């Protein structure tokens, strides 16, 4: 065994093997993989090997596409048979909503170049004669689905990596990990020690236990999962003889099962409601290429439906039942990337679909390690999308919810209940008493809208307009015509202090820093000129700043800031030690002025002022800005003051007709003001030039990514963020939700990033990226909403108050 290596990958499942392979592909060859038993000994060996490209996040779908296309190459290069079968796959719809979902999935696939087809139930029956047609109303056929041999794929990755110089030590367990002061690692195994610059936790079923070796509690949990394999079936033989190929795979959402041909029989797996975690507290090290005892009673309800939907299955003999564990993160996507706060420590775990995702996970992690950047938008997989709040019990609740909903639709306006409420602010009970309908992000509850008194605070889930629609319209009118009050604690808040802070931030930010007492907006870029963050910067002293950013990116962004930290500068995450309320609307100033001695007249407190003032008796930082685009204020206080502040503002607002508004209204109001948002319009795959962040981009100072911006400005951006006025279907109106394709002259030319119905202006609006040469004001496009191409006109300016007079009043 080597005494030292640049990288030690812990775990020889399909994911660890893929990471090793991709590291060598990118030129890091002093790399080793340590496996406690044999390659595949965790969850990999008993997987069903199914793979597909479809994913709710288009960026993850792209990586799945990459994975599926990689198998032929590694098979050829290694000489190892990967058992690749590509019979295509059907997704079956049994009701209208599922059909809508399939149409939306097909539409999303269009701009990824996926060639999927909506077909009738009769056509589905022709392709897959085992199904009983009357239970279905249609299907989506994806020719790029198939299955592989899990062990073959893992060995092929390993073999290619070995050819490039990597070493693999099997029957070698990592028992401990110790970091040296210089950030390198001593990897302690039962066969000796390896000194490594980097470690990668690809421990699969034991990833949580490997994390614990360095005091980490990764949000990952294994679940039991069952599939059965039948004896050979005459129906299968007949189909194969008649068509000359194997049956396609089939996903039956209603039955919560998947089915595919396995040799001369069928393989049927279920995601049962009565799901069971495996080793919820501690995974045993003695578990070795083992299976769990099957529990047919548990999957009986799913089998019953499967036998109705595929009658031939009811008569087939069962040859084998597999019950094995595999891992999930709370949202079902992998955990990948550098662990925040721990140098040279990387993870690639919680990969629940190793054969669809393993290649993309390996590629992006290897790029991140060797090039400093994953090279793709991997937010949906970033380990930093969770903070310390994602405890073992939270993970347990969320993973069980996710597993049992694997084949259920999650609607764009749906908020799932497990693991909530977790974080609440002091005004939670006040807002609940006002009939708030709550949503959650990054563990924190935030009000979505306020149901009318006497009605249940519940939102109907739908792809179209919900029962919130008329109520949110009233909330918007309150803000635009009088004054609205809302909670704004769901921002990430950071404080930057210490000598050299200004110089440090100026080198990170695209905008000039504001003067003390002022706020402005800025972007931060990577060296390639892509947007890594978008922030409001409030300066309270020469070297004293508050930064406000996206809350869900709190761990993600603070990892980035800390990775660039300069000597003498202090960077603090304020989290819920600073909470906020926001007042917005034409009389917001009158309300706030009635409870403070500080003059709020525009000449004394102009737009984009940020100062420490007293509001009533409460010490507060007050910024004159709101995301609604109206005259307004964000008032930041320590949590112990928030209830008193709420009561004060609520009372003071009564003579002015104050009303509460929530996040849904805010999204509607920001759309008519043409304000973009992080993780939608602004993401690491876009540049500030494409995103038209002109006001945040000043080339009068040096900052990371400036050279790339200048080069792009010189050649012109390939695509541009467009602002679209969409005409919804008048009979059954639906607004965009994001990721819809944008058509032009019969071809898909772009995609929607976000949108909403702008209630006050009475327009359905969307943002989306289109080729720059088409981004001409007045140009006509079509946006595909639930299978319908709806006309959309590109607008040059906000539909409301384009000169921004309301904010500056
Ligand atoms: C019944 C079943 C059916 C499935 N069907 C499919 C499917 O059809 N399609 C699909 O994509 N996925 C499927 N999966 C999921 C798939 O198995 C996983 O996504 C995949 O195996 C994850 O691979 P991994 O490398 O992350 O983890 P693992 O396979 O668990 O690998 C981790 C490895 O790390 C080693 N290890 C851990 N700790 C240490 C240590 N301290 N020292 C040394 N070595 C260590 C372990 O021994 C293990 O070999 C299925 C899973 C099950 C259970």
């Amino acid at each position: 065994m080597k005494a030292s290596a640049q990288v030690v990958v812990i775990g020889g499942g399909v994911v660890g093997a893929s990471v090793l392979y991709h590291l060598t592909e990118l030129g890091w060859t002093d790399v080793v993989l340590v496996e406690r038993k044999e390659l595949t000994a965790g969850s990999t060996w008993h997987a069903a090997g199914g793979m597909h490209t479809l994913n709710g996040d288009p960026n993850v779908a792209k990586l799945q596409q990459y994975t599926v296309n990689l198998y032929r190459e590694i098979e050829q290069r290694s000489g190892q048979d990967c058992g690749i079968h590509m019979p295509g796959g059907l997704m079956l719809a049994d009701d209208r909503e599922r059909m809508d979902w399939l149409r939306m999935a097909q539409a999303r696939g269009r701009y990824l170049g996926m060639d999927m087809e909506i077909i009738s139930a009769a056509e589905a029956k022709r392709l897959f004669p085992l199904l009983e047609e009357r239970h279905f109303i249609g299907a989506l056929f994806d020719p790029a689905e198939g299955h592989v041999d899990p062990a073959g794929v893992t060995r092929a990755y390993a073999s290619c990596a070995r050819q490039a110089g990597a070493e693999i030590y099997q029957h070698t367990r990592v028992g401990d990990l110790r970091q040296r002061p210089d950030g390198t690692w001593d990897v302690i195994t039962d066969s000796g020690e390896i000194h490594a610059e980097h470690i990668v936790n690809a421990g699969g079923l034991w990833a949580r236990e490997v994390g614990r070796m360095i005091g980490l509690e990764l949000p990952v949990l294994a679940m039991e999962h069952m599939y059965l394999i039948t004896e050979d079936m005459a129906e299968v033989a007949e189909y194969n003889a008649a068509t000359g190929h194997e049956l396609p795979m089939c996903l039956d959402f209603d039955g919560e099962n998947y089915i595919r041909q396995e040799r001369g029989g069928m393989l049927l797996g279920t995601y049962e409601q009565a799901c069971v975690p495996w080793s919820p507290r501690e995974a045993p090290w003695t578990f070795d290429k083992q299976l769990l005892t099957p529990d047919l009673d548990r999957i009986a309800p799913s089998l019953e439906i499967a036998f109705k939907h595929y009658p031939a299955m009811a008569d087939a003999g069962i040859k084998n039942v597999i019950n094995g564990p595999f891992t999930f993160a709370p949202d079902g996507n992998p955990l990948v990337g550098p662990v925040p706060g721990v140098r040279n420590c990387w993870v690639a775990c919680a990969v629940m679909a190793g054969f669809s995702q393993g290649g993309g996970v390996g590629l992006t992690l290897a790029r991140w390690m060797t090039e400093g950047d994953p090279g793709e938008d991997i937010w949906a997989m970033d380990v930093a999308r969770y903070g310390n709040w994602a405890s073992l019990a939270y993970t347990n609740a969320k993973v069980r919810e996710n597993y049992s909903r694997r084949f259920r639709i999650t609607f764009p306006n749906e908020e799932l209940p497990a693991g909530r409420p977790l974080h609440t602010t002091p005004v939670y009970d006040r807002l609940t008493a006002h009939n708030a309908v709550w949503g959650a992000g990054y563990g924190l509850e935030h009000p979505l809208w306020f149901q009318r008194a006497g009605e249940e605070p519940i939102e109907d889930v739908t792809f179209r307009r919900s029962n919130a629609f008329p109520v949110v319209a009233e909330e918007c009118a309150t803000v635009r015509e009088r004054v609205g009050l809302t909670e704004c604690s769901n921002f990430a808040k950071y404080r930057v202090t210490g000598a050299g802070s200004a110089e440090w931030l100026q080198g990170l930010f695209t905008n000039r820093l504001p003067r003390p007492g002022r706020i402005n907006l800025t972007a931060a870029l990577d060296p390639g000129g892509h947007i890594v963050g978008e922030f409001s910067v409030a300066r309270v002293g020469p070297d004293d700043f508050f930064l406000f950013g996206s809350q869900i990116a709190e761990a993600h962004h603070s990892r980035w800031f800390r990775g660039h930290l300069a000597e003498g500068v202090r960077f603090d995450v304020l989290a819920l030690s600073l909470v906020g309320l926001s007042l917005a609307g034409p009389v917001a100033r009158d309300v706030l002025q009635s409870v403070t001695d500080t003059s709020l007249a525009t000449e004394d407190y102009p737009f984009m002022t940020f100062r420490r003032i007293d509001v009533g008796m409460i010490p507060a930082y007050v910024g004159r800005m709101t995301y609604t685009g109206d005259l307004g204020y964000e008032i930041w206080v320590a949590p112990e003051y928030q209830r008193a502040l709420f009561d004060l503002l609520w009372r003071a607002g009564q003579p002015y007709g104050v009303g509460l508004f929530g996040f849904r209204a805010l999204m509607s109001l920001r759309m008519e003001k043409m304000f973009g948002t992080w993780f939608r319009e602004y993401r690491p795959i876009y540049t500030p030039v494409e995103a038209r962040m002109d006001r945040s981009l000043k080339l009068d100072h040096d900052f990371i990514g400036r050279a790339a911006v200048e080069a792009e400005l010189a050649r012109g951006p390939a695509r541009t963020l467009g602002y679209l006025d969409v005409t919804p279907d008048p009979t059954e109106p639906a607004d965009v939700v994001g990721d819809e394709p944008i058509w032009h002259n019969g071809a898909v030319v772009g995609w929607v990033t976000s949108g909403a119905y702008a209630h006050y202006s009475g327009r359905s609006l969307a943002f989306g990226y289109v080729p720059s040469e088409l981004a001409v004001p007045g140009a006509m496009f079509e946006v595909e909403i639930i299978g319908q191409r709806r006309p959309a006109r590109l607008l040059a300016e906000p539909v409301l108050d384009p000169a921004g007079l309301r904010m500056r009043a």
Side-chain angles (χ1 to χ4, degrees), residues 408-596:
R408 303 236 161 137
I409 295 172
T410 299
F411 290 90
N413 67 335
E414 187 163 7
E415 295 282 335
L416 301 178
R420 296 176 54 201
L422 182 59
H423 290 163
T424 56
T425 62
V427 294
Y428 178 77
D429 295 344
R430 294 279 199 279
L431 301 184
T432 299
H434 282 278
N435 232 4
V437 178
W438 291 99
Y442 203 66
L444 175 68
E445 297 292 316
H446 61 263
L448 298 175
W449 55 286
F450 293 86
Q451 176 59 288
R452 291 172 181 140
E455 292 183 40
E456 275 281 279
I458 292 175
E459 183 163 350
D460 306 336
V461 293
T462 173
F463 291 124
R464 295 180 170 78
R465 294 173 181 171
S466 76
N467 58 328
F469 192 81
V471 187
V472 172
E474 286 167 16
E475 291 180 11
C476 291
T478 301
V479 172
R480 291 287 187 234
E481 291 168 5
R482 302 192 305 275
V483 57
L485 176 63
T486 194
E487 161 144 52
C488 58
S489 305
N490 60 333
F491 278 97
K493 293 135 280 168
Y494 314 104
R495 186 103 186 233
V496 180
T497 50
S501 297
E503 194 187 337
W504 177 62
L505 287 177
Q506 193 60 94
L508 299 179
F509 288 156
T510 57
N511 203 347
R512 238 173 286 147
L513 294 177
R515 295 191 310 277
R518 307 282 300 157
I519 326 170
N520 68 16
L521 301 178
T522 194
L525 310 180
D526 68 14
H530 299 102
I531 308 165
V532 297
E534 193 236 359
F535 305 96
S536 304
V537 183
R539 190 170 193 173
V540 287
D543 270 325
D544 190 351
F545 298 85
F546 286 92
L547 311 180
F548 300 90
S550 161
Q551 193 206 18
I552 48 167
E554 186 182 280
H556 173 90
H557 281 145
S558 45
R559 180 182 61 196
W560 185 82
F561 280 112
R562 288 193 169 118
H564 290 82
L565 204 59
E567 266 303 290
V569 176
R570 186 176 160 153
F571 177 87
D572 290 306
V573 178
L574 300 179
L576 293 177
S577 68
L578 194 68
V579 293
L581 295 175
S582 174
L583 268 180
V587 296
R589 175 170 34 227
D590 304 82
V591 175
L592 191 58
Q593 189 65 82
S594 71
V595 290
T596 183

Side-chain angles (χ1 to χ4, degrees), residues 16 24 139 282 574 579 688 704 773:
T24 58
E282 181 100 44
L574 300 179
V579 293
I704 295 175
E773 65 274 15

Side-chain angles (χ1 to χ4, degrees), residues 10-17 34-51 172-175 202-207 210 213 223-227 258 260 271 285 322-327 348-357:
I10 304 162
V14 65
V15 173
V34 181
E35 164 55 48
R36 54 188 271 278
K37 300 288 179 188
E38 293 153 23
L39 294 179
T40 79
S43 55
T44 297
W45 71 278
H46 51 60
M51 55 181 183
T172 304
R173 181 165 92 84
V174 174
L205 293 177
W206 294 269
V210 172
M213 291 175 191
M223 298 294 291
E224 294 193 12
H225 182 67
M226 276 181 270
Y227 64 80
Y258 57 89
R260 71 164 170 84
Y271 278 84
W285 292 107
I322 302 289
N323 184 12
F326 68 130
T327 52
C349 64
V351 184
M352 62 79 53
F355 300 94
S356 301
Q357 300 180 331

Side-chain angles (χ1 to χ4, degrees), residues 634-651:
E634 285 170 356
I635 305 159
W636 299 100
V637 297
E640 56 271 30
Y641 294 109
Q642 198 197 24
R643 285 156 69 96
L645 178 68
F646 178 85
D647 293 344
L648 183 71
L649 295 175
W650 187 245
R651 263 196 318 273

